[in-house]
Amino acid sequence: MAQKLFLDALIGRDDFEVEDQSHSSQGPHKTTLSYADFEIPGFFFSSLRKPDFQRETNEWDAEKVKDLVKSFLDGDLVPAIILWKYADSYTFVIDGAHRISAISAWVNDDYGDGRVSRKFFDNAIPEQQLDIAKKAREIINRDIGAYKDFKDALYEPDSAAEHVKKRLKSFGTRALQLQWVDGDSKKAESSFFKINQSSTPISDTEIAILEARRKPSGLCSRAILRGGQGYKYWSVFEASLADKIQKEAGIINALIFKPELLTPIKTLDLPLGGKNHASNSLSMVFELVKLLGVNNTEEDTTGEETLRALIKIKKSMQRINDIHPSSLGLHPAVYIYSRSGNFRVSCFHATIVFIEELSNNKKLNVFTQHRAEFENIIISSDVLIQQIVRKARQANKAVAPLVKFFHAILDNLSNATESDEVLIMLSKSSDFSYLNLDDLHQEETASTSFSKSTKSAAYISEAIKTSPKCKICGGILHQKSISIDHKIRKEDGGTGLLSNAQLSHPYCNTTYKN
Protein backbone atom coordinates (compact mmCIF):
# COMPACT_ATOMS: atom_id res chain seq x y z
CA MET A 1 0.00 0.00 0.00
CA ALA A 2 1.34 3.44 -0.97
CA GLN A 3 2.36 5.58 1.99
CA LYS A 4 0.50 8.88 2.34
CA LEU A 5 2.22 12.24 2.79
CA PHE A 6 1.20 14.39 5.73
CA LEU A 7 0.74 17.90 4.29
CA ASP A 8 -1.59 19.28 6.93
CA ALA A 9 0.83 21.98 8.09
CA LEU A 10 1.01 23.88 4.80
CA ILE A 11 -2.41 25.54 5.01
CA GLY A 12 -3.39 26.87 8.42
CA ARG A 13 -6.76 26.28 10.04
CA ASP A 14 -9.20 28.70 11.60
CA ASP A 15 -12.72 29.04 12.92
CA PHE A 16 -15.07 29.04 9.95
CA GLU A 17 -17.75 31.13 11.58
CA VAL A 18 -17.88 34.91 11.22
CA GLU A 19 -19.55 36.84 14.00
CA ASP A 20 -20.34 39.97 12.01
CA GLN A 21 -23.05 38.84 9.60
CA SER A 22 -23.81 42.36 8.36
CA HIS A 23 -21.16 42.39 5.62
CA SER A 24 -21.38 40.57 2.32
CA SER A 25 -18.54 38.87 0.49
CA GLN A 26 -16.12 41.45 -0.88
CA GLY A 27 -14.82 41.47 -4.46
CA PRO A 28 -13.27 41.50 -6.93
CA HIS A 29 -11.17 38.41 -6.21
CA LYS A 30 -8.15 36.77 -7.78
CA THR A 31 -9.07 34.43 -10.60
CA THR A 32 -5.90 32.33 -10.72
CA LEU A 33 -2.99 31.20 -8.57
CA SER A 34 0.55 31.33 -9.96
CA TYR A 35 3.74 29.82 -8.52
CA ALA A 36 4.57 32.87 -6.41
CA ASP A 37 1.22 32.54 -4.62
CA PHE A 38 2.31 29.19 -3.18
CA GLU A 39 5.47 30.47 -1.51
CA ILE A 40 5.51 30.47 2.30
CA PRO A 41 5.71 33.08 3.71
CA GLY A 42 3.75 34.97 1.10
CA PHE A 43 0.86 37.41 0.87
CA PHE A 44 -1.64 34.87 -0.45
CA PHE A 45 -0.74 31.98 1.87
CA SER A 46 -0.66 34.24 4.93
CA SER A 47 -4.41 34.78 4.54
CA LEU A 48 -5.32 31.24 3.35
CA ARG A 49 -7.01 28.85 5.78
CA LYS A 50 -8.78 25.51 5.92
CA PRO A 51 -12.00 25.38 7.97
CA ASP A 52 -11.21 24.00 11.41
CA PHE A 53 -13.55 21.07 10.77
CA GLN A 54 -11.92 19.97 7.50
CA ARG A 55 -10.30 16.56 7.29
CA GLU A 56 -6.53 16.41 7.62
CA THR A 57 -4.56 16.78 4.41
CA ASN A 58 -3.03 13.30 4.41
CA GLU A 59 -4.75 11.35 1.63
CA TRP A 60 -2.18 11.69 -1.19
CA ASP A 61 0.97 9.68 -1.75
CA ALA A 62 4.13 10.82 -3.54
CA GLU A 63 2.95 9.65 -6.97
CA LYS A 64 -0.30 11.60 -6.74
CA VAL A 65 1.52 14.77 -5.65
CA LYS A 66 3.99 14.29 -8.50
CA ASP A 67 1.20 13.80 -11.05
CA LEU A 68 -0.58 16.95 -9.87
CA VAL A 69 2.58 19.07 -10.08
CA LYS A 70 3.39 17.59 -13.50
CA SER A 71 -0.13 18.39 -14.75
CA PHE A 72 0.25 21.93 -13.48
CA LEU A 73 3.62 22.35 -15.18
CA ASP A 74 2.42 20.87 -18.47
CA GLY A 75 -0.79 22.85 -18.63
CA ASP A 76 -3.01 19.79 -18.29
CA LEU A 77 -6.50 20.14 -16.88
CA VAL A 78 -6.52 20.63 -13.11
CA PRO A 79 -9.94 21.21 -11.48
CA ALA A 80 -10.53 24.72 -10.18
CA ILE A 81 -9.92 25.59 -6.54
CA ILE A 82 -13.03 26.80 -4.72
CA LEU A 83 -12.51 29.50 -2.09
CA TRP A 84 -14.66 31.63 0.20
CA LYS A 85 -13.92 34.98 1.82
CA TYR A 86 -16.38 36.84 3.99
CA ALA A 87 -15.87 40.53 4.80
CA ASP A 88 -12.52 40.80 6.62
CA SER A 89 -12.15 37.10 7.36
CA TYR A 90 -9.41 34.81 6.13
CA THR A 91 -9.71 33.17 2.72
CA PHE A 92 -11.00 29.63 3.27
CA VAL A 93 -10.51 26.60 1.03
CA ILE A 94 -13.89 25.03 0.24
CA ASP A 95 -12.49 22.49 -2.23
CA GLY A 96 -8.93 21.83 -3.36
CA ALA A 97 -6.86 21.71 -0.15
CA HIS A 98 -4.90 18.68 -1.39
CA ARG A 99 -4.21 20.34 -4.77
CA ILE A 100 -3.00 23.55 -3.17
CA SER A 101 -0.95 21.63 -0.58
CA ALA A 102 0.65 19.43 -3.26
CA ILE A 103 1.92 22.39 -5.27
CA SER A 104 2.90 24.24 -2.10
CA ALA A 105 4.85 21.18 -0.94
CA TRP A 106 6.82 21.28 -4.19
CA VAL A 107 7.35 25.07 -4.18
CA ASN A 108 8.46 25.12 -0.53
CA ASP A 109 10.29 21.77 -0.56
CA ASP A 110 8.14 20.65 2.38
CA TYR A 111 6.60 17.19 2.04
CA GLY A 112 5.77 16.98 5.73
CA ASP A 113 9.34 17.45 6.94
CA GLY A 114 10.29 21.00 5.94
CA ARG A 115 10.49 24.29 7.77
CA VAL A 116 6.73 24.90 7.86
CA SER A 117 5.91 21.37 9.03
CA ARG A 118 8.62 21.37 11.68
CA LYS A 119 7.33 24.61 13.14
CA PHE A 120 3.74 23.32 13.01
CA PHE A 121 4.63 20.15 14.94
CA ASP A 122 7.20 21.83 17.18
CA ASN A 123 9.81 19.47 15.65
CA ALA A 124 7.92 16.45 17.03
CA ILE A 125 7.66 14.67 13.66
CA PRO A 126 7.59 10.85 13.71
CA GLU A 127 10.37 9.01 11.89
CA GLN A 128 7.82 7.38 9.61
CA GLN A 129 6.62 10.78 8.39
CA LEU A 130 10.20 11.95 7.84
CA ASP A 131 11.01 8.81 5.85
CA ILE A 132 7.92 9.12 3.62
CA ALA A 133 8.68 12.79 2.97
CA LYS A 134 12.30 12.03 2.06
CA LYS A 135 11.27 9.35 -0.44
CA ALA A 136 8.66 11.68 -1.97
CA ARG A 137 11.25 14.40 -2.44
CA GLU A 138 13.60 11.97 -4.18
CA ILE A 139 10.88 10.76 -6.58
CA ILE A 140 9.58 14.24 -7.46
CA ASN A 141 13.02 15.86 -7.80
CA ARG A 142 14.15 12.99 -10.04
CA ASP A 143 11.13 12.96 -12.36
CA ILE A 144 10.18 16.65 -12.39
CA GLY A 145 12.91 18.63 -10.75
CA ALA A 146 12.81 20.72 -7.61
CA TYR A 147 11.18 24.14 -7.70
CA LYS A 148 14.61 25.55 -6.90
CA ASP A 149 15.97 23.90 -10.06
CA PHE A 150 13.58 26.00 -12.16
CA LYS A 151 14.52 29.22 -10.37
CA ASP A 152 18.23 28.44 -10.72
CA ALA A 153 17.71 27.74 -14.41
CA LEU A 154 16.68 31.38 -14.91
CA TYR A 155 20.28 32.33 -14.13
CA GLU A 156 22.07 29.31 -15.61
CA PRO A 157 19.76 27.81 -18.28
CA ASP A 158 22.59 25.94 -20.03
CA SER A 159 23.38 23.91 -16.94
CA ALA A 160 19.75 22.95 -16.26
CA ALA A 161 18.50 19.39 -16.74
CA GLU A 162 16.64 18.70 -19.99
CA HIS A 163 13.27 18.13 -18.32
CA VAL A 164 13.67 21.53 -16.61
CA LYS A 165 14.66 23.32 -19.83
CA LYS A 166 11.69 21.79 -21.62
CA ARG A 167 9.21 23.42 -19.25
CA LEU A 168 11.06 26.65 -18.55
CA LYS A 169 9.61 28.74 -21.40
CA SER A 170 6.04 28.24 -20.27
CA PHE A 171 6.85 28.06 -16.57
CA GLY A 172 5.71 31.60 -15.78
CA THR A 173 2.35 31.32 -17.53
CA ARG A 174 0.96 28.35 -15.62
CA ALA A 175 -1.85 29.02 -13.14
CA LEU A 176 -4.64 27.31 -11.25
CA GLN A 177 -8.17 28.54 -11.83
CA LEU A 178 -10.15 29.87 -8.87
CA GLN A 179 -13.87 29.91 -8.17
CA TRP A 180 -15.50 31.78 -5.30
CA VAL A 181 -18.49 31.00 -3.10
CA ASP A 182 -20.62 34.03 -2.23
CA GLY A 183 -22.65 34.29 0.97
CA ASP A 184 -22.23 33.89 4.72
CA SER A 185 -20.53 31.09 6.69
CA LYS A 186 -23.64 28.90 6.63
CA LYS A 187 -23.70 29.07 2.82
CA ALA A 188 -19.96 28.31 2.66
CA GLU A 189 -20.22 25.37 5.11
CA SER A 190 -23.15 23.94 3.18
CA SER A 191 -21.10 24.23 -0.04
CA PHE A 192 -18.15 22.50 1.64
CA PHE A 193 -20.13 19.42 2.64
CA LYS A 194 -22.05 19.25 -0.63
CA ILE A 195 -18.86 19.39 -2.72
CA ASN A 196 -16.87 16.98 -0.58
CA GLN A 197 -19.65 14.42 -0.28
CA SER A 198 -20.15 14.33 -4.03
CA SER A 199 -16.52 14.28 -5.20
CA THR A 200 -14.68 12.53 -2.37
CA PRO A 201 -17.33 10.92 -0.17
CA ILE A 202 -17.06 11.55 3.56
CA SER A 203 -17.74 8.52 5.72
CA ASP A 204 -20.26 8.57 8.54
CA THR A 205 -17.41 8.50 11.06
CA GLU A 206 -15.69 11.46 9.41
CA ILE A 207 -18.92 13.44 9.44
CA ALA A 208 -19.34 12.60 13.13
CA ILE A 209 -15.79 13.84 13.85
CA LEU A 210 -16.45 17.09 11.99
CA GLU A 211 -19.70 17.64 13.84
CA ALA A 212 -17.95 16.94 17.18
CA ARG A 213 -15.19 19.48 16.63
CA ARG A 214 -16.26 21.60 19.63
CA LYS A 215 -17.44 18.70 21.78
CA PRO A 216 -15.17 16.90 24.28
CA SER A 217 -15.09 13.77 22.09
CA GLY A 218 -13.82 15.66 19.05
CA LEU A 219 -11.42 17.87 20.99
CA CYS A 220 -9.94 14.87 22.84
CA SER A 221 -9.56 12.86 19.62
CA ARG A 222 -7.65 15.52 17.70
CA ALA A 223 -5.50 16.43 20.70
CA ILE A 224 -4.57 12.79 21.36
CA LEU A 225 -3.79 11.92 17.75
CA ARG A 226 -1.14 14.63 17.38
CA GLY A 227 0.07 14.51 20.97
CA GLY A 228 -1.01 18.09 21.57
CA GLN A 229 0.90 19.32 18.51
CA GLY A 230 -0.35 20.69 15.20
CA TYR A 231 -3.43 22.89 15.05
CA LYS A 232 -4.57 23.56 18.62
CA TYR A 233 -8.35 23.23 18.56
CA TRP A 234 -8.32 23.85 22.33
CA SER A 235 -6.52 27.23 22.11
CA VAL A 236 -9.86 29.04 22.57
CA PHE A 237 -9.85 27.98 26.23
CA GLU A 238 -8.13 29.78 29.09
CA ALA A 239 -4.35 29.52 28.66
CA SER A 240 -3.45 27.43 31.73
CA LEU A 241 -6.26 24.97 31.03
CA ALA A 242 -5.29 24.74 27.36
CA ASP A 243 -1.72 23.90 28.46
CA LYS A 244 -3.05 21.09 30.69
CA ILE A 245 -5.10 19.71 27.80
CA GLN A 246 -2.01 19.73 25.60
CA LYS A 247 0.09 18.02 28.28
CA GLU A 248 -2.45 15.25 28.95
CA ALA A 249 -2.92 14.66 25.21
CA GLY A 250 0.84 14.26 24.79
CA ILE A 251 0.98 11.65 27.56
CA ILE A 252 -1.93 9.67 26.06
CA ASN A 253 -0.40 9.83 22.58
CA ALA A 254 2.80 8.28 23.94
CA LEU A 255 0.83 5.58 25.79
CA ILE A 256 -0.98 4.62 22.58
CA PHE A 257 1.54 5.18 19.79
CA LYS A 258 5.02 4.79 21.29
CA PRO A 259 7.37 3.29 20.28
CA GLU A 260 6.97 3.72 16.53
CA LEU A 261 5.71 0.60 14.74
CA LEU A 262 8.19 -0.77 12.21
CA THR A 263 7.62 -3.74 9.89
CA PRO A 264 8.53 -6.50 9.55
CA ILE A 265 8.34 -6.81 13.32
CA LYS A 266 11.66 -7.55 15.00
CA THR A 267 10.80 -6.51 18.54
CA LEU A 268 7.94 -7.18 20.94
CA ASP A 269 8.07 -3.57 22.12
CA LEU A 270 4.98 -2.71 20.07
CA PRO A 271 2.69 0.33 20.37
CA LEU A 272 -0.85 -0.32 21.59
CA GLY A 273 -2.43 1.68 18.75
CA GLY A 274 -0.41 0.84 15.65
CA LYS A 275 0.82 3.73 13.49
CA ASN A 276 -0.38 7.18 14.45
CA HIS A 277 -0.14 8.41 10.84
CA ALA A 278 -2.29 5.69 9.33
CA SER A 279 -5.22 6.96 7.27
CA ASN A 280 -7.73 5.65 9.82
CA SER A 281 -5.89 6.83 12.96
CA LEU A 282 -8.23 9.72 13.74
CA SER A 283 -11.29 7.50 13.32
CA MET A 284 -9.67 4.88 15.56
CA VAL A 285 -8.98 7.40 18.33
CA PHE A 286 -12.45 8.93 17.96
CA GLU A 287 -14.07 5.50 18.39
CA LEU A 288 -11.87 4.84 21.43
CA VAL A 289 -12.93 8.14 23.00
CA LYS A 290 -16.60 7.36 22.43
CA LEU A 291 -16.23 3.82 23.79
CA LEU A 292 -14.83 5.32 27.00
CA GLY A 293 -17.97 7.41 27.37
CA VAL A 294 -16.66 10.88 26.54
CA ASN A 295 -19.38 13.47 25.88
CA ASN A 296 -20.28 13.45 22.19
CA THR A 297 -23.48 15.51 22.36
CA GLU A 298 -22.75 18.92 23.85
CA GLU A 299 -20.12 21.56 23.13
CA ASP A 300 -17.44 22.32 25.71
CA THR A 301 -17.31 26.09 26.21
CA THR A 302 -14.65 26.18 28.93
CA GLY A 303 -12.41 23.17 28.22
CA GLU A 304 -12.92 21.73 31.71
CA GLU A 305 -14.93 18.75 30.51
CA THR A 306 -12.35 18.01 27.80
CA LEU A 307 -9.57 18.03 30.40
CA ARG A 308 -11.54 15.70 32.71
CA ALA A 309 -12.14 13.36 29.79
CA LEU A 310 -8.44 13.29 28.90
CA ILE A 311 -7.51 12.45 32.50
CA LYS A 312 -10.02 9.59 32.44
CA ILE A 313 -8.66 8.31 29.10
CA LYS A 314 -5.10 8.50 30.45
CA LYS A 315 -6.07 6.36 33.47
CA SER A 316 -7.67 3.78 31.17
CA MET A 317 -4.58 3.57 28.96
CA GLN A 318 -2.25 3.42 31.97
CA ARG A 319 -4.26 0.46 33.24
CA ILE A 320 -3.66 -1.32 29.94
CA ASN A 321 0.12 -0.93 29.63
CA ASP A 322 2.34 1.46 31.59
CA ILE A 323 4.64 1.56 34.59
CA HIS A 324 1.84 3.12 36.66
CA PRO A 325 0.95 1.00 39.76
CA SER A 326 -2.53 0.33 38.34
CA SER A 327 -1.16 -1.16 35.12
CA LEU A 328 -2.02 -4.71 34.13
CA GLY A 329 0.75 -4.58 31.56
CA LEU A 330 -1.25 -6.25 28.80
CA HIS A 331 1.13 -7.28 26.04
CA PRO A 332 0.15 -5.81 22.62
CA ALA A 333 1.48 -8.89 20.79
CA VAL A 334 -0.94 -11.06 22.78
CA TYR A 335 -4.07 -8.94 22.90
CA ILE A 336 -3.95 -6.57 19.92
CA TYR A 337 -1.70 -7.75 17.06
CA SER A 338 -2.36 -10.76 14.88
CA ARG A 339 0.00 -13.70 14.73
CA SER A 340 1.48 -12.20 11.53
CA GLY A 341 2.06 -8.81 13.17
CA ASN A 342 -0.92 -6.89 11.77
CA PHE A 343 -2.40 -4.24 14.03
CA ARG A 344 -6.07 -5.06 14.73
CA VAL A 345 -8.08 -1.96 15.57
CA SER A 346 -11.04 -4.08 16.69
CA CYS A 347 -8.86 -5.92 19.22
CA PHE A 348 -7.38 -2.63 20.42
CA HIS A 349 -10.85 -1.28 21.18
CA ALA A 350 -12.18 -4.58 22.50
CA THR A 351 -9.27 -5.03 24.92
CA ILE A 352 -9.82 -1.58 26.40
CA VAL A 353 -13.59 -2.09 26.74
CA PHE A 354 -13.05 -5.55 28.27
CA ILE A 355 -10.69 -4.22 30.93
CA GLU A 356 -12.99 -1.24 31.63
CA GLU A 357 -15.86 -3.64 32.26
CA LEU A 358 -13.75 -5.87 34.50
CA SER A 359 -12.65 -2.82 36.46
CA ASN A 360 -16.19 -1.46 36.82
CA ASN A 361 -17.43 -4.88 37.95
CA LYS A 362 -14.47 -5.37 40.32
CA LYS A 363 -13.28 -8.47 38.48
CA LEU A 364 -9.67 -7.51 37.80
CA ASN A 365 -8.50 -9.94 40.48
CA VAL A 366 -10.53 -12.73 38.87
CA PHE A 367 -8.84 -11.92 35.56
CA THR A 368 -5.42 -11.87 37.20
CA GLN A 369 -6.07 -15.21 38.87
CA HIS A 370 -6.70 -16.88 35.48
CA ARG A 371 -4.51 -14.61 33.37
CA ALA A 372 -1.85 -17.12 32.31
CA GLU A 373 -4.46 -19.57 30.94
CA PHE A 374 -6.48 -16.71 29.45
CA GLU A 375 -3.46 -15.46 27.47
CA ASN A 376 -2.58 -18.92 26.21
CA ILE A 377 -6.12 -19.24 24.84
CA ILE A 378 -6.01 -15.79 23.22
CA ILE A 379 -2.68 -16.61 21.54
CA SER A 380 -4.11 -19.83 20.14
CA SER A 381 -7.33 -18.07 19.02
CA ASP A 382 -5.79 -15.90 16.29
CA VAL A 383 -7.85 -17.53 13.52
CA LEU A 384 -11.03 -17.46 15.61
CA ILE A 385 -10.61 -13.73 16.24
CA GLN A 386 -10.37 -13.29 12.45
CA GLN A 387 -13.64 -15.21 12.10
CA ILE A 388 -15.37 -12.96 14.65
CA VAL A 389 -14.18 -9.80 12.91
CA ARG A 390 -15.10 -11.17 9.48
CA LYS A 391 -18.62 -12.02 10.63
CA ALA A 392 -19.08 -8.48 12.00
CA ARG A 393 -17.91 -7.10 8.61
CA GLN A 394 -16.63 -3.85 10.12
CA ALA A 395 -13.94 -3.33 12.76
CA ASN A 396 -16.12 -1.13 14.99
CA LYS A 397 -18.98 -3.66 14.85
CA ALA A 398 -16.58 -6.43 15.89
CA VAL A 399 -15.80 -4.82 19.25
CA ALA A 400 -18.94 -6.04 21.05
CA PRO A 401 -18.62 -9.72 19.97
CA LEU A 402 -14.89 -9.68 20.77
CA VAL A 403 -15.57 -8.32 24.25
CA LYS A 404 -18.22 -11.04 24.70
CA PHE A 405 -15.63 -13.60 23.49
CA PHE A 406 -13.10 -12.42 26.09
CA HIS A 407 -15.70 -12.53 28.88
CA ALA A 408 -16.82 -16.01 27.82
CA ILE A 409 -13.25 -17.31 28.01
CA LEU A 410 -12.77 -15.82 31.47
CA ASP A 411 -16.16 -17.10 32.68
CA ASN A 412 -15.30 -20.63 31.57
CA LEU A 413 -11.95 -20.51 33.33
CA SER A 414 -13.63 -19.11 36.45
CA ASN A 415 -16.06 -22.03 36.35
CA ALA A 416 -13.15 -24.49 36.39
CA THR A 417 -13.36 -25.44 32.71
CA GLU A 418 -10.05 -26.94 31.60
CA SER A 419 -8.18 -24.47 29.39
CA ASP A 420 -7.96 -26.91 26.46
CA GLU A 421 -11.75 -27.34 26.61
CA VAL A 422 -12.70 -23.64 26.67
CA LEU A 423 -12.78 -23.02 22.91
CA ILE A 424 -14.71 -26.26 22.38
CA MET A 425 -17.30 -25.11 24.92
CA LEU A 426 -17.57 -21.70 23.25
CA SER A 427 -18.09 -23.21 19.79
CA LYS A 428 -21.08 -25.10 21.21
CA SER A 429 -22.68 -21.95 22.63
CA SER A 430 -25.35 -19.98 20.76
CA ASP A 431 -23.16 -16.86 20.68
CA PHE A 432 -20.19 -18.52 18.99
CA SER A 433 -21.60 -21.55 17.17
CA TYR A 434 -20.27 -20.12 13.90
CA LEU A 435 -16.64 -20.52 14.98
CA ASN A 436 -14.79 -23.16 13.00
CA LEU A 437 -12.20 -24.79 15.24
CA ASP A 438 -10.81 -26.80 12.31
CA ASP A 439 -9.22 -23.58 11.04
CA LEU A 440 -6.96 -23.56 14.10
CA HIS A 441 -4.94 -26.33 12.45
CA GLN A 442 -5.09 -25.03 8.88
CA GLU A 443 -1.81 -25.08 6.97
CA GLU A 444 -0.50 -21.90 5.33
CA THR A 445 -0.27 -21.57 1.56
CA ALA A 446 3.29 -22.31 0.45
CA SER A 447 5.36 -19.63 -1.33
CA THR A 448 8.99 -19.37 -2.45
CA SER A 449 9.85 -16.16 -0.58
CA PHE A 450 9.12 -14.77 2.86
CA SER A 451 6.56 -11.95 3.01
CA LYS A 452 6.66 -9.24 5.66
CA SER A 453 3.83 -11.03 7.43
CA THR A 454 5.75 -14.32 7.47
CA LYS A 455 8.88 -12.62 8.79
CA SER A 456 6.84 -10.91 11.51
CA ALA A 457 5.05 -14.15 12.37
CA ALA A 458 8.35 -16.00 12.68
CA TYR A 459 9.72 -13.42 15.10
CA ILE A 460 6.56 -13.07 17.19
CA SER A 461 6.11 -16.82 17.51
CA GLU A 462 9.61 -17.34 18.88
CA ALA A 463 9.75 -14.17 20.96
CA ILE A 464 6.45 -14.87 22.72
CA LYS A 465 7.69 -18.33 23.74
CA THR A 466 10.76 -16.87 25.43
CA SER A 467 9.14 -13.75 26.90
CA PRO A 468 9.56 -13.30 30.67
CA LYS A 469 6.49 -14.08 32.77
CA CYS A 470 5.07 -12.35 35.81
CA LYS A 471 6.05 -14.37 38.87
CA ILE A 472 2.74 -13.60 40.52
CA CYS A 473 0.11 -14.25 37.81
CA GLY A 474 2.15 -16.08 35.17
CA GLY A 475 1.07 -13.68 32.41
CA ILE A 476 3.49 -12.40 29.78
CA LEU A 477 5.46 -9.28 30.69
CA HIS A 478 5.88 -6.28 28.39
CA GLN A 479 9.03 -4.21 28.83
CA LYS A 480 7.07 -0.97 29.34
CA SER A 481 5.20 -2.43 32.29
CA ILE A 482 7.54 -4.32 34.60
CA SER A 483 7.66 -3.95 38.37
CA ILE A 484 10.28 -5.44 40.68
CA ASP A 485 8.51 -7.28 43.48
CA HIS A 486 9.75 -8.45 46.85
CA LYS A 487 9.21 -12.20 47.10
CA ILE A 488 9.03 -11.72 50.86
CA ARG A 489 7.47 -8.36 51.61
CA LYS A 490 9.52 -5.71 53.39
CA GLU A 491 7.03 -5.59 56.25
CA ASP A 492 7.54 -9.35 56.65
CA GLY A 493 11.31 -8.96 56.83
CA GLY A 494 12.10 -9.23 53.13
CA THR A 495 15.44 -7.80 52.00
CA GLY A 496 16.48 -5.79 48.97
CA LEU A 497 18.85 -8.53 47.79
CA LEU A 498 18.67 -10.00 44.28
CA SER A 499 17.58 -13.32 45.74
CA ASN A 500 14.40 -11.65 47.01
CA ALA A 501 13.55 -9.87 43.74
CA GLN A 502 11.14 -11.06 41.08
CA LEU A 503 9.55 -9.55 37.96
CA SER A 504 5.84 -8.78 37.99
CA HIS A 505 3.12 -6.63 36.48
CA PRO A 506 2.62 -3.37 38.42
CA TYR A 507 -0.98 -4.30 39.30
CA CYS A 508 0.04 -7.75 40.48
CA ASN A 509 2.69 -6.21 42.72
CA THR A 510 0.75 -3.27 44.17
CA THR A 511 -2.83 -4.59 44.31
CA TYR A 512 -3.42 -8.27 43.56
CA LYS A 513 -0.63 -9.59 45.77
CA ASN A 514 -1.82 -7.51 48.70
Side-chain angles (χ1 to χ4, degrees), residues 203-441:
S203 70
D204 291 341
T205 301
E206 287 175 312
I207 291 173
I209 293 170
L210 299 184
E211 291 176 343
R213 63 188 182 274
R214 293 187 179 89
K215 300 169 185 174
S217 58
L219 289 165
C220 287
S221 299
R222 293 187 183 277
I224 290 169
L225 184 66
R226 300 299 166 218
Q229 302 302 320
Y231 180 75
K232 295 175 173 52
Y233 294 86
W234 53 91
S235 62
V236 295
F237 303 135
E238 190 268 325
S240 63
L241 196 143
D243 288 343
K244 291 177 183 177
I245 288 174
Q246 185 167 331
K247 179 182 177 182
E248 294 295 329
I251 294 171
I252 298 169
N253 177 277
L255 287 168
I256 295 175
F257 294 115
K258 300 296 182 184
E260 183 180 349
L261 177 61
L262 301 175
T263 55
I265 290 172
K266 297 180 180 178
T267 175
L268 287 187
D269 188 14
L270 303 170
L272 291 173
K275 297 180 179 179
N276 71 332
H277 278 13
S279 59
N280 67 335
S281 293
L282 180 56
S283 296
M284 181 195 77
V285 174
F286 184 63
E287 288 298 320
L288 167 65
V289 166
K290 289 197 301 176
L291 286 168
L292 290 175
V294 176
N295 183 352
N296 191 42
T297 58
E298 312 214 347
E299 293 186 3
D300 186 359
T301 57
T302 65
E304 292 179 1
E305 190 172 357
T306 298
L307 179 58
R308 284 196 296 271
L310 286 170
I311 293 172
K312 176 184 176 182
I313 295 166
K314 179 181 72 174
K315 288 180 179 178
S316 295
M317 299 314 302
Q318 286 176 327
R319 188 184 294 118
I320 298 297
N321 191 6
D322 189 43
I323 197 60
H324 191 272
S326 67
S327 179
L328 296 167
L330 302 187
H331 203 300
V334 175
Y335 292 86
I336 296 171
Y337 289 77
S338 71
R339 184 175 61 184
S340 57
N342 293 321
F343 170 70
R344 300 185 293 202
V345 63
S346 53
C347 288
F348 172 64
H349 288 149
T351 299
I352 292 165
V353 173
F354 174 60
I355 296 302
E356 282 292 302
E357 292 182 359
L358 290 181
S359 177
N360 293 337
N361 294 316
K362 302 188 184 309
K363 288 188 174 182
L364 289 179
N365 282 358
V366 175
F367 169 74
T368 303
Q369 180 183 351
H370 300 284
R371 179 165 172 173
E373 292 175 296
F374 183 92
E375 290 187 350
N376 287 334
I377 293 171
I378 292 296
I379 291 170
S380 66
S381 298
D382 189 78
V383 174
L384 301 184
I385 289 173
Q386 291 179 36
Q387 292 177 13
I388 294 171
V389 174
R390 194 159 50 238
K391 187 176 188 297
R393 296 183 180 274
Q394 294 178 10
N396 60 342
K397 292 182 178 179
V399 174
L402 283 172
V403 172
K404 184 177 287 189
F405 181 66
F406 296 157
H407 278 301
I409 293 173
L410 184 57
D411 289 345
N412 271 272
L413 292 173
S414 300
N415 293 327
T417 304
E418 294 294 328
S419 58
D420 57 358
E421 293 291 319
V422 169
L423 293 179
I424 296 173
M425 295 292 290
L426 289 187
S427 68
K428 294 178 180 179
S429 69
S430 58
D431 288 329
F432 299 104
S433 59
Y434 61 88
L435 294 180
N436 184 359
L437 301 190
D438 292 339
D439 287 352
L440 293 173
H441 312 291

Side-chain angles (χ1 to χ4, degrees), residues 9 72 93 100 160 173 280 284 289 298 333 423 455 461 465 487:
F72 187 29
V93 182
I100 293 177
T173 63
N280 67 335
M284 181 195 77
V289 166
E298 312 214 347
L423 293 179
K455 292 176 182 178
S461 176
K465 291 177 187 175
K487 293 178 184 177

Side-chain angles (χ1 to χ4, degrees), residues 156-170:
E156 299 289 342
D158 293 338
S159 60
E162 285 302 317
H163 60 276
V164 172
K165 288 182 185 178
K166 181 180 176 182
R167 296 186 172 104
L168 198 58
K169 292 179 182 179
S170 57

Side-chain angles (χ1 to χ4, degrees), residues 38-144:
F38 293 93
E39 293 182 354
I40 304 175
F43 290 109
F44 176 74
F45 251 77
S46 67
S47 66
L48 190 66
R49 295 291 186 274
K50 289 177 289 196
D52 61 356
F53 54 78
Q54 189 172 20
R55 290 177 290 179
E56 293 180 318
T57 314
N58 62 352
E59 288 299 316
W60 286 19
D61 59 24
E63 287 295 328
K64 195 158 186 177
V65 171
K66 184 189 76 172
D67 290 344
L68 189 281
V69 174
K70 183 176 181 296
S71 295
F72 187 29
L73 285 169
D74 294 343
D76 296 337
L77 177 64
V78 176
I81 306 297
I82 302 177
L83 304 176
W84 172 76
K85 181 175 174 61
Y86 196 82
D88 294 327
S89 71
Y90 288 112
T91 299
F92 286 91
V93 182
I94 302 299
D95 185 51
H98 272 86
R99 277 165 273 157
I100 293 177
S101 298
I103 296 174
S104 179
W106 179 66
V107 168
N108 296 282
D109 192 33
D110 188 340
Y111 298 97
D113 64 342
R115 182 178 178 182
V116 179
S117 293
R118 289 182 180 276
K119 181 179 180 181
F120 184 74
F121 291 108
D122 195 25
N123 284 317
I125 299 178
E127 285 298 322
Q128 181 193 10
Q129 183 175 331
L130 295 173
D131 185 54
I132 295 170
K134 179 183 177 183
K135 291 176 181 176
R137 181 178 292 103
E138 292 171 353
I139 291 170
I140 293 168
N141 289 356
R142 179 195 67 210
D143 296 349
I144 295 176

Side-chain angles (χ1 to χ4, degrees), residues 14-18 50-53 84 86 89 92-94 184-190 192 213-214:
D14 214 288
D15 191 342
F16 202 54
E17 295 183 8
V18 179
K50 289 177 289 196
D52 61 356
F53 54 78
W84 172 76
Y86 196 82
S89 71
F92 286 91
V93 182
I94 302 299
D184 60 16
S185 60
K186 286 187 173 61
K187 173 73 178 296
E189 185 168 340
S190 174
F192 172 84
R213 63 188 182 274
R214 293 187 179 89

